[in-house]
Amino acid sequence: MNKQKKSYLPLWRCLLPAGWYAVIFRFSAQNATVSGSLSDRLLYRLLHAVSGAFRSLTAEGQTAVVEFLSYYERKGAHMFLYFVLMGLLLFALRPWLTSAPKRAAAAIAVCTVLAALDEFHQTFVPGRSGQPSDVLVDLSGAACFLLVWFVVRCVWQTCRPAS
């Protein structure tokens, strides 16, 4: 009984990446007008708060800047969402895959499937389209997390005192 209870105990960890993917799915379910409006408003507010040069532009100038930067904001959002998802997946898989390379491979496989599923889902949302290139952007965010994770692991293993 104790062994069976112990094997199910780590399942709560799976709720974290599942919940985060639900957030990603929810953003993907927004139609193009809602999605564009949300990201443009966020970018406008951020630029207005941090840049005196932006505040001094005319309304047309501000609109042009926001339109130009919107593409990069969206790609950055893709990368951020999958950067976080990769971290949550690595955390969730740890009880079952103690080998770091195997855990990383499993997590990147899950991220690939979820990114492709997300883009496929967008083909059914009005005004949106699934883009294979966005899967690559998503995976670059996941890869960035893996890079940071491996560097931190290497530094930790090198710098920790010997037992």
Side-chain angles (χ1 to χ4, degrees), residues 82-163:
Y82 281 83
F83 180 93
V84 173
L85 182 62
M86 175 57 76
L88 294 173
L89 285 168
L90 290 170
F91 175 74
L93 292 170
R94 188 160 193 246
W96 296 283
L97 297 171
T98 55
S99 162
K102 286 180 182 177
R103 195 169 352 133
I108 201 73
V110 171
C111 273
T112 302
V113 169
L114 292 177
L117 182 63
D118 182 49
E119 292 304 314
F120 177 68
H121 162 247
Q122 285 185 34
T123 63
F124 299 101
V125 177
R128 303 285 296 264
S129 62
Q131 300 294 323
S133 61
D134 279 349
V135 173
L136 296 176
V137 173
D138 296 338
L139 293 178
S140 67
C144 286
F145 188 94
L146 280 179
L147 178 64
V148 170
W149 184 62
F150 277 117
V151 168
V152 168
R153 285 179 53 84
C154 288
V155 168
W156 176 259
Q157 291 172 351
T158 303
C159 295
R160 77 176 166 194
S163 301

Side-chain angles (χ1 to χ4, degrees), residues 1-119:
M1 171 94 176
N2 189 21
K3 185 175 180 166
Q4 188 177 19
K5 182 179 177 185
K6 189 176 182 182
S7 66
Y8 288 108
L9 188 60
L11 286 176
W12 70 269
R13 290 172 172 244
C14 296
L15 295 175
L16 297 171
W20 189 252
Y21 189 71
V23 169
I24 293 171
F25 196 84
R26 176 98 174 169
F27 279 126
S28 294
Q30 295 174 334
N31 67 40
T33 305
V34 172
S35 177
S37 175
L38 178 67
S39 61
D40 288 352
R41 274 194 327 265
L42 176 65
L43 187 56
Y44 176 85
R45 288 180 179 163
L46 178 65
L47 289 170
H48 196 270
V50 300
S51 174
F54 181 78
R55 287 190 302 270
S56 69
L57 292 173
T58 64
E60 294 81 21
Q62 289 178 350
T63 300
V65 169
V66 168
E67 285 176 3
F68 174 75
L69 293 177
S70 181
Y71 172 83
Y72 300 101
E73 174 197 26
R74 288 171 177 267
K75 300 310 172 192
H78 274 265
M79 289 181 70
F80 170 76
L81 291 168
Y82 281 83
F83 180 93
V84 173
L85 182 62
M86 175 57 76
L88 294 173
L89 285 168
L90 290 170
F91 175 74
L93 292 170
R94 188 160 193 246
W96 296 283
L97 297 171
T98 55
S99 162
K102 286 180 182 177
R103 195 169 352 133
I108 201 73
V110 171
C111 273
T112 302
V113 169
L114 292 177
L117 182 63
D118 182 49
E119 292 304 314

